[in-house]
Amino acid sequence: MRPRLPQLNALKSFEAAARHESFTRAAEELCVTQGAVSHQVKALEAELAIKLFNRERQRLIITEAGRDYLAVVRDALDRIAIGTERLLQRQNTGVLTVSTSPDFAAKWLVHRLGHFAEAHSGIDLRVSATLHHVDFAREEVDLAVRHGDGNWPGLDAVRLSPERLFAVCSPKLLSGKRRLSNPADILKFPLIHMDSRADWKNWLQEAGLDDAAATHGPVLNRASMVIDAAINGQGIALARTTLAAWDLINGHLARPFPQSLPLSKTYWILCPKATANLPKIVTFRDWLLSEAASDLRRLRKLGGTSRLK
């Protein structure tokens, strides 16, 4: 069994009184009454059955036994203080492990990591791109960004940004003999599909076009592949706001037409509720939200994005 330890308040009172050689000044430092300090020290002496101070002419004189014990107490309190400071520093800085999907990492996060590192040099960011949904109870992951409908039981979940689905293409397709002038011109080009052809059918219906034309073009299984194929001029793709934002803002992609479809699923910032207010997690979450809000503002300035809200 662990040996019995004296009360921490009694040890603090003893150490302060020994340092100041005064109950009164110790009380001022500890923000308690002089009587409280005297009571704590007397209780400690009674518990130890050792006299720690001699009282001479309203002065405290530490005994030899008290001096020996003071060295032990002071070392212990210093260790607690140093350990506490290190713990608090780790909450503000240190390693922050983030799990994201490969698509989000490739098309949204990696372009911005340099900006985050410059602004928050004390945080050692580690990014794990995986399709696996993290188990916070078993894995050393602090925060995750995942695509879904917001139903994340037991977790603190903050929506990154609203999303819509719209057509994107290489800016080169907006000029030349086969340029895109109206939605019907989309059918002159391969349609790049994600997993199935359902999204293109819905978009063509929204644009008032025959959805039977949605049967041509390649089907890819990763959103980042779909976007990259469009950037390379291989056809017209449908892209979500979040994943397309960087390439639209930087001129790698263009939105030929304003038609878009609402999406019920979007990206969410997830972490255990118990750690949601840790400073380094708050810092990274606030940075993610700020970047996403900036994207929406810049996209609206590009035009044709009034329905991105």
Side-chain angles (χ1 to χ4, degrees), residues 13-34:
S13 294
F14 164 63
E15 191 278 333
R19 184 160 27 88
H20 291 291
E21 298 182 338
S22 166
F23 285 154
T24 301
R25 285 194 296 249
E28 291 172 354
E29 176 184 313
L30 298 174
C31 298
V32 297
T33 65
Q34 185 268 352

Side-chain angles (χ1 to χ4, degrees), residues 12-59:
K12 289 169 61 179
S13 294
F14 164 63
E15 191 278 333
R19 184 160 27 88
H20 291 291
E21 298 182 338
S22 166
F23 285 154
T24 301
R25 285 194 296 249
E28 291 172 354
E29 176 184 313
L30 298 174
C31 298
V32 297
T33 65
Q34 185 268 352
V37 173
S38 177
H39 174 76
Q40 291 283 358
V41 172
K42 287 180 180 179
L44 181 61
E45 289 179 320
E47 181 178 358
L48 299 175
I50 295 174
K51 195 171 185 62
L52 300 173
F53 293 105
N54 289 317
R55 285 83 171 168
E56 300 178 3
R57 298 179 181 178
Q58 297 184 338
R59 231 184 113 203

Side-chain angles (χ1 to χ4, degrees), residues 59-72:
R59 231 184 113 203
L60 285 180
I61 305 297
I62 192 167
T63 66
E64 184 177 351
R67 189 175 293 106
D68 291 341
Y69 192 47
L70 176 63
V72 174

